[in-house]
Amino acid sequence: MISYEILLNEVSECDIDICETSFKGGSHGFYLENTIFIDKKISSSTEKKCVLAEELGHHHTTYGNILDTDCINNIKQEKLARNWGYEKLVGVIDLINAYNHGVVGKHNLAEYLNVTESFLEEAINHYREKYGTHYQIDNYVIFFEPHFGILKNF
């Protein structure tokens, strides 16, 4: 699992500045020219970590001004950055490790991974889009439909 501090170290290693500022509207984060802006009204370090992961995803995956959400290319780039964040904080191996530690239920899984429940749900939706109904790795099958779950084959 990646903590907020580990993510901050990665941001620092990428030579990215972080600025907490007030946001208007529904946005919680923004990436521009090696600076990540995070809404200072976010009080939870868990939510800050989720926002930071997505904005770091923008650093790694997007280019140019993608603010125009009517442009299909911008929508695709936004999705790339979000998906990068999902895979960073809710990796397939992290899901298996949680299963092996006896974590049951999405609420407990979100707590175990230290992500918000909505971030976890979006990550599961991402994997459903990426892999389909399930994904098999080693002796495990992760089901994304009809309900999320993990089984170990013996």
Side-chain angles (χ1 to χ4, degrees), residues 81-136:
R82 286 183 181 174
N83 291 347
W84 188 96
Y86 300 145
E87 293 193 18
K88 184 75 172 175
L89 299 185
V90 184
V92 169
I93 299 303
D94 297 321
L95 296 173
I96 290 170
N97 288 339
Y99 169 82
N100 286 331
H101 281 93
V103 176
V104 178
K106 288 184 183 176
H107 174 77
N108 293 332
L109 181 56
E111 275 190 8
Y112 177 84
L113 296 173
N114 195 25
V115 297
T116 64
E117 288 186 55
S118 62
F119 190 90
L120 174 64
E121 192 64 44
E122 291 165 8
I124 291 169
N125 288 338
H126 159 65
Y127 286 125
R128 182 182 303 116
E129 290 174 1
K130 183 174 182 178
Y131 297 122
T133 59
H134 66 282
Y135 178 71
Q136 185 167 349

